């Protein structure tokens, strides 16, 4: 199959026409889409954690670090999360179900379930929150979901085993890591074509774009991270951090930074890297709990929230001192953590 998006997407129609046309406007997937308006007022800042083995999302107050509750995803193997910029929606991928759960954060409940493809792995929102892109690892595709109607707009064929997704700051490009091909693909978001593939290393997974626009990724099958230039899309740096690097976020250590903090699953620690992407060096190293995986920072970049997939907990770490401020129990096998603004 060509790497061009299906013709139906190019013309603005839904690829899964047969499935979607059978749906009533008020229903998406197997759950009714509730039509009540979201209550007005601000949404308190919260930490959301995807628990893969308990099929739910833990909710934690981002200021007091107290547990608020647990939201059932109503699907299986809850894996990745994306939170809308207004904090009113959280989208969760569910590997075993091939579905994305849509969560109303004010009501703290799953309000819709969308089938996107076999083993949907990661989710990310476009820069204007109008589309949700979903990587389906079992079908080697990306599904594009309209976040207003919850309908699938189309599907883009990509490399084998897509496991990471991120958008450039200007929204012109999407980057997708493919574990089966050991590459990152660059997608032109206007034409929906893969315009370039970049060899990066064994079993690449997580991708994130830094504040200066560089694309950072981990080779979970090896022991290193890599950095891609935002202009020419060439690999400009690599650094060995240890076996099973998992995810990356950016934060400050006092006046240093932003550092790129990497969870290293095999060594129960996180490493902060500084310097030019082509000349990286270790600037911080913090011992954490067993099996660090997901990581996120607060908006000020002074705290890290780290999910431990073996310890079943979240640790809140002060990056200035490296000390743990709080440890919060969550569900089984927490994989991903995100924080609303």
């Amino acid at each position: 199959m060509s790497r061009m998006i299906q013709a139906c997407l190019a013309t603005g129609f839904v690829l899964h026409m047969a499935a979607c046309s059978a749906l009533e406007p008020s229903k998406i997937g197997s759950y009714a889409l509730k039509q009540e308006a979201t209550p007005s007022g601000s949404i308190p800042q919260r930490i959301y954690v995807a628990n893969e083995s308990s099929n739910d999302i833990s909710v934690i107050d981002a200021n007091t670090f107290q547990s608020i509750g647990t939201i059932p995803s109503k699907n299986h193997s809850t894996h990745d999360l994306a939170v809308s910029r207004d904090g009113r929606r959280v989208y969760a991928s569910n590997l075993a179900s091939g579905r994305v759960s849509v969560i109303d954060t004010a009501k703290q409940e799953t309000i819709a379930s969308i089938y996107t493809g076999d083993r949907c792995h990661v989710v990310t929102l476009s820069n204007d929150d109008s589309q949700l892109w979903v990587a389906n690892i079992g079908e080697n595709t990306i599904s594009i979901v309209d976040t207003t109607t919850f309908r699938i707009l189309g599907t883009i064929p990509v490399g084998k085993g897509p496991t990471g997704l991120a958008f450039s700051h200007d929204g012109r490009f999407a980057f997708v890591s493919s574990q089966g091909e050991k590459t990152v693909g660059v997608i032109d978001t206007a034409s929906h074509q893969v315009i370039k593939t970049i060899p990066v290393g064994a079993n690449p997974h997580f991708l994130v774009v830094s504040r200066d626009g560089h694309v950072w990724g981990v080779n979970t099958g090896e022991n290193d991270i890599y950095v891609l230039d935002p202009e020419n899309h060439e690999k400009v740096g690599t650094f060995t951090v240890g076996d099973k690097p998992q995810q990356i976020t950016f934060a400050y250590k006092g006046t240093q930074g932003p550092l790129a903090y990497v969870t290293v699953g095999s060594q129960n620690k996180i490493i902060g890297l500084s310097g030019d992407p082509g000349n990286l060096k270790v600037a911080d190293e913090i011992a954490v709990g067993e099996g660090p995986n997901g990581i996120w920072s607060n908006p000020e970049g002074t705290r890290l929230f780290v999910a431990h997939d073996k310890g079943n907990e979240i640790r809140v770490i002060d990056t200035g001192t490296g000390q743990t401020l709080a440890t919060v129990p969550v569900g089984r096998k927490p994989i991903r953590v995100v924080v609303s603004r």
Side-chain angles (χ1 to χ4, degrees):
M1 182 179 290
S2 165
R3 292 194 182 280
M4 295 181 64
I5 191 170
Q6 307 289 345
C8 56
L9 178 61
T11 54
F13 289 96
V14 177
L15 176 64
H16 300 291
M17 187 65 73
C20 292
S21 61
L23 297 173
E24 294 297 327
S26 61
K27 286 181 177 287
I28 297 292
S30 59
Y31 300 105
L33 171 60
K34 299 184 177 182
Q35 300 294 335
E36 295 89 348
T38 302
S40 60
S42 61
I43 302 295
Q45 190 181 34
R46 291 169 176 167
I47 303 167
Y48 299 95
V49 184
N51 304 309
E52 186 167 297
S53 293
S54 50
N55 310 315
D56 53 28
I57 297 98
S58 298
V59 186
I60 301 166
D61 187 298
N63 296 308
T64 66
F65 312 135
Q66 298 296 307
S67 177
I68 295 175
T70 302
I71 305 171
S73 69
K74 300 184 178 180
N75 284 298
H76 297 286
S77 302
T78 306
H79 187 81
D80 192 28
L81 298 174
V83 59
S84 64
R85 286 159 177 78
D86 63 5
R88 296 183 180 278
R89 292 282 186 272
V90 168
Y91 303 88
S93 65
N94 300 274
L95 270 167
S97 302
R99 288 181 172 274
V100 170
S101 302
V102 182
I103 295 160
D104 184 313
T105 59
K107 299 174 181 176
Q108 291 197 49
E109 65 179 33
T110 297
I111 59 170
S113 174
I114 309 162
Y115 182 80
T116 63
D118 184 28
R119 294 183 62 76
C120 63
H121 191 260
V122 292
V123 290
T124 192
L125 285 159
S126 59
N127 294 344
D128 63 359
D129 279 359
S130 66
Q131 295 180 350
L132 181 76
W133 286 35
V134 186
N136 306 304
I137 195 171
E139 298 182 0
N140 308 323
T141 60
I142 291 173
S143 297
I144 302 175
V145 179
D146 185 307
T147 56
T148 299
T149 64
F150 299 164
R151 293 183 180 277
I152 294 177
L153 299 175
T155 304
I156 304 173
V158 294
K160 294 178 181 177
T163 47
L165 266 176
F167 286 99
S168 62
H169 285 325
D170 61 10
R172 294 174 55 206
F173 304 104
F175 305 92
V176 54
S177 59
S178 298
Q179 62 177 188
E181 299 187 357
K182 304 178 182 180
T183 63
V184 168
V186 182
I187 300 172
D188 183 316
T189 57
S191 66
H192 297 103
Q193 296 182 42
V194 177
I195 59 173
K196 186 173 185 176
T197 55
I198 308 160
V200 293
N203 203 7
H205 270 65
F206 184 80
L207 288 175
V208 65
V209 176
S210 63
R211 296 180 183 181
D212 67 2
H214 284 85
V215 182
W216 293 64
V218 300
N219 287 317
T220 301
E222 294 184 345
N223 56 10
D224 63 328
I225 62 94
Y226 54 87
V227 185
L228 307 179
D229 185 280
E231 300 298 328
N232 60 24
H233 304 149
E234 297 289 343
K235 188 164 66 174
V236 293
T238 61
F239 194 88
T240 299
V241 294
D243 290 341
K244 298 181 180 178
Q246 298 290 345
Q247 297 183 31
I248 303 172
T249 194
F250 301 93
Y252 290 86
K253 181 177 179 61
T255 58
Q256 296 183 68
L259 308 183
Y261 280 95
V262 186
T263 49
V264 184
S266 65
Q267 300 181 22
N268 298 335
K269 66 182 181 183
I270 55 178
I271 290 178
L273 301 176
S274 69
D276 181 274
N279 186 26
L280 296 169
K281 57 186 177 182
V282 174
D284 196 11
E285 187 170 327
I286 303 171
V288 292
E290 190 175 11
N293 197 320
I295 188 169
W296 194 276
S297 66
N298 63 342
E300 296 79 13
T302 57
R303 290 171 178 169
L304 297 173
F305 309 99
V306 183
H308 297 81
D309 59 28
K310 294 181 180 176
N312 298 331
E313 64 187 23
I314 294 294
R315 293 197 182 189
V316 182
I317 296 170
D318 183 321
T319 54
T321 64
Q323 299 299 307
T324 298
L325 301 176
T327 300
V328 186
V330 293
R332 289 183 286 123
K333 197 179 178 181
I335 293 292
R336 181 71 165 135
V337 54
V338 298
V339 182
S340 61
R341 298 179 180 179

